[in-house]
Structure formats: structure tokens, C-alpha cells
Amino acid sequence: MSTKKADVLLTVFTPAYNRAHTITRTYESLCRQSCKDFVWLVVDDGSTDNTAELVKEWQSRDNGFEIRYIYKKNGGMHSAHNTAYRNIDTELNTCVDSDDMMPDDGVEKIVKFWKTHGSEKYAGMLALDSDMNGRIIGKGFPENLVETTLTGYYKNGGQGDKKLIYRTEIMNKYPEYPEFEGERYVGLSYKYILCDQEYKLLVLNEVVCNVDYQNDGSTATMWKQYYKNPKGFAFLRKICMQYPDSNKKLFVDCIHYVSSCIIAGNSNFIKESPQKALTVLAVPFGALLSLYTKFKAKPKS
């Protein structure tokens, strides 16, 4: 059976919600890893399929790495991250979603790179994602890019999802993602933005995860997410407004903040805004965006 080896460096954690039809691919990719210096933590976010049975059967095998399983009430991706961070005891962690997989040398690349270049100076590493055919998502890294913040990468022309490998101590340094009653979404970038104010990330110019965007995933259903989780989005926009990376982005965040507050029925949004004057200017645009969001979120007949 799977037991934790001494001094394991990395936890690969996987939030799962009714992904029994895809998480087997994730598991099989971890079994193929050339380096087994990791723990796999599955955070089951209230699944009603046979995810639990699958994982518990895998736990009974000799996989070469420890598998941990935690079941929790459904609360959304951010709440699963909260649960993961509370239970990770390795130096590094990275999230591999339940519809994704790692290339056979993914863990090996992470471990070798960190052991060679890592230090307390950095929050962790930024690496590449690819699709299931090996094509890099968005843009690759410039050849001479050694370190960056996540915000800085995108501000300087970076594109596409990238794999984040963080020091667990750093992620637990910042407050947990808030959980709003009746909502299931808070942007994961909340913690990453806070981290960017203090630390840089090492750049690992290698693919360490293959991603598969599902039709019912959060990326594909964004307008519905805006409408169903307005408090969560308003919270994130307030964080973005406190740490703007451009005047244009600041005003866009103000517009979205107004829109989310209108949808949430929060009449105190100007008083609560960290950018009050700009928020007043954004009101008419935010009101229009709230109407457009409601229209886009309607079920298509």
C-alpha cells in the first residue's frame, strides 16, 4: 500500500467534482512518473459519482507514491484549494486538475529544477502547460527569462495558462480564499496577486502538465459563473483594484466590481471600494455589464 517516503518534496493535489470519467487519466499519468518523489492528494469536493471508490481502490495498490483522499462538502475550486493547503506537509505543491495529466517526466523536472535553483528567495516556480497533443498553451517563455512574478509575466505579453508550483509555506502565509454562502467561485488569482507583492517565481521553461478543458469547466461557463457568484467576483476585483498593473486594467476591474455588486444586490459598493472616485465613474458601464451578464447567463433554449 502507498506510504509516504521520508523527505518527499512535492504534493500534487487534485480537486475533483464528479470527474470519475477523467481522473483515471490523471492517476495513470502519476503512476508513469519517472520520479516518485511526491504525494498525491485528492480533494473530493462533494462528488456524487464513484470518485471515492476509485481513489480508495488505488490507495490499496503499491503505486510507489502515497495517495491521500479527503472528502468535503461541495464548495467550489477555491474551497478545495483551502482544504488542500490545510493538509499539505511537503515543501512544494502544485495543482493538477482531475481532467489533466502530467507528462512522464513532469515530477522529475520540477524536483530537479527546484533542488538545483530553488531557495527561500522565491515563492516557487512557473512552468508550462500544454494541451493533450503537446502544444504549449498560449505563449512559451522568452529564452532569457529566469524569474518573474505571475502578474509581471502577463503584463509583459505572456499568454495562456501556466503551471504554478508554490512553496506551501508561502501559500499558507496569506489568508484563505473566502467562502460565500450559496456561491461556488472565488478566483484563485487572489493568493497569487498577494504573493506577487513580495516574491518572484523561478521560470522552468518545460512542460509539466497536459491540460484538457472540459465543456462544463469554469473556463467554458464564465458568464454563468459571473452571474451565480457575484460576491466572489466582487471580492477578487477589490483585490485587483488594490494592486493595479495598469490604469486601463484598473478601470476594467472597477467596471466588473460595479457589475458584480449590482448582481449581488450590494448597495454599499462605493463605500466599500478601494477606488471610490473611479468606481463612481464606472457605475454606468458596470450597470450595462450587469445587464449583459444576466443576458449571457440565461439558459439557451
Side-chain angles (χ1 to χ4, degrees), residues 114 119 121-125 165-167 170 195 199-201:
W114 184 254
S119 75
K121 173 184 175 182
Y122 297 104
M125 294 173 280
I165 304 104
Y166 276 111
R167 286 168 53 207
I170 300 300
C195 181
Y199 297 93
K200 288 187 175 181
L201 295 161

Side-chain angles (χ1 to χ4, degrees), residues 215-271:
N215 292 331
D216 59 345
S218 61
T219 303
T221 60
M222 214 63 219
W223 289 106
K224 289 181 181 178
Q225 299 277 16
Y226 286 146
Y227 188 66
K228 291 181 178 180
N229 306 282
K231 293 178 183 178
F233 277 100
F235 168 82
L236 181 61
R237 297 297 179 176
K238 284 173 68 175
I239 297 297
C240 293
M241 289 155 65
Q242 292 176 55
Y243 306 104
D245 56 26
S246 71
N247 290 332
K248 178 182 177 181
K249 181 67 166 53
L250 174 59
F251 192 56
V252 169
D253 284 326
C254 283
I255 292 170
H256 279 271
Y257 169 72
V258 171
S259 172
S260 293
C261 287
I262 290 173
I263 294 170
N266 178 11
S267 59
N268 295 317
F269 65 89
I270 294 176
K271 182 180 179 181

Side-chain angles (χ1 to χ4, degrees), residues 16-298:
Y17 177 64
N18 289 343
R19 284 285 187 263
H21 60 291
T22 61
I23 197 172
T24 296
R25 179 171 61 189
T26 310
Y27 165 69
E28 289 175 348
S29 78
L30 296 177
C31 289
R32 292 193 299 269
Q33 292 303 303
S34 54
C35 171
K36 298 293 179 69
D37 188 13
F38 69 96
V39 171
W40 188 31
L41 170 62
V42 179
V43 180
D44 189 337
D45 191 34
S47 295
T48 56
D49 61 8
N50 64 324
T51 296
E53 289 77 11
L54 277 176
V55 178
K56 288 174 182 177
E57 196 278 320
W58 296 334
Q59 285 179 309
S60 70
R61 302 179 185 179
D62 184 7
N63 301 290
F65 57 92
E66 180 187 5
I67 300 176
R68 300 178 184 174
Y69 174 80
I70 299 173
Y71 181 89
K72 61 178 285 296
K73 180 182 177 182
N74 179 245
M77 179 71 79
H78 66 294
S79 70
H81 276 240
N82 282 340
T83 298
Y85 292 140
R86 291 180 205 134
N87 289 278
I88 293 171
D89 58 8
T90 57
E91 181 180 358
L92 300 178
N93 69 80
T94 191
C95 177
V96 174
D97 288 338
S98 54
D99 43 14
D100 298 341
M101 56 186 282
M102 295 188 78
D104 295 356
D105 58 354
V107 170
E108 182 178 357
K109 288 175 179 176
I110 291 170
V111 169
K112 282 187 174 180
F113 190 82
W114 184 254
K115 286 183 175 179
T116 303
H117 303 286
S119 75
E120 292 186 356
K121 173 184 175 182
Y122 297 104
M125 294 173 280
L126 187 66
L128 296 173
D129 280 345
S130 76
D131 65 17
M132 290 298 172
N133 295 312
R135 293 184 293 262
I136 292 172
I137 304 297
K139 288 184 177 180
F141 298 125
E143 286 293 329
N144 60 347
L145 187 63
V146 176
E147 59 181 36
T148 184
T149 61
L150 186 62
T151 305
Y153 168 71
Y154 290 114
K155 184 178 179 180
N156 291 307
Q159 293 179 6
D161 288 343
K162 297 294 176 279
K163 185 50 58 187
L164 290 158
I165 304 104
Y166 276 111
R167 286 168 53 207
T168 305
E169 178 184 9
I170 300 300
M171 283 294 97
N172 285 330
K173 175 180 177 179
Y174 303 108
E176 292 191 340
Y177 297 100
E179 298 181 27
F180 298 101
E181 186 70 29
E183 296 196 7
R184 297 289 183 271
Y185 188 94
V186 172
L188 298 178
S189 58
Y190 156 59
K191 281 204 173 199
Y192 310 154
I193 291 169
L194 296 182
C195 181
D196 278 353
Q197 311 312 308
E198 298 186 272
Y199 297 93
K200 288 187 175 181
L201 295 161
L202 283 167
V203 174
L204 171 56
N205 198 7
E206 299 277 359
V207 172
V208 299
C209 188
N210 307 119
V211 302
D212 184 15
Y213 297 110
Q214 298 292 305
N215 292 331
D216 59 345
S218 61
T219 303
T221 60
M222 214 63 219
W223 289 106
K224 289 181 181 178
Q225 299 277 16
Y226 286 146
Y227 188 66
K228 291 181 178 180
N229 306 282
K231 293 178 183 178
F233 277 100
F235 168 82
L236 181 61
R237 297 297 179 176
K238 284 173 68 175
I239 297 297
C240 293
M241 289 155 65
Q242 292 176 55
Y243 306 104
D245 56 26
S246 71
N247 290 332
K248 178 182 177 181
K249 181 67 166 53
L250 174 59
F251 192 56
V252 169
D253 284 326
C254 283
I255 292 170
H256 279 271
Y257 169 72
V258 171
S259 172
S260 293
C261 287
I262 290 173
I263 294 170
N266 178 11
S267 59
N268 295 317
F269 65 89
I270 294 176
K271 182 180 179 181
E272 296 171 2
S273 171
Q275 300 280 350
K276 293 178 177 57
L278 203 59
T279 299
V280 170
L281 293 176
V283 167
F285 303 100
L288 287 172
L289 179 58
S290 70
L291 292 173
Y292 185 69
T293 299
K294 291 176 184 178
F295 168 76
K296 292 290 287 185
K298 283 182 180 178

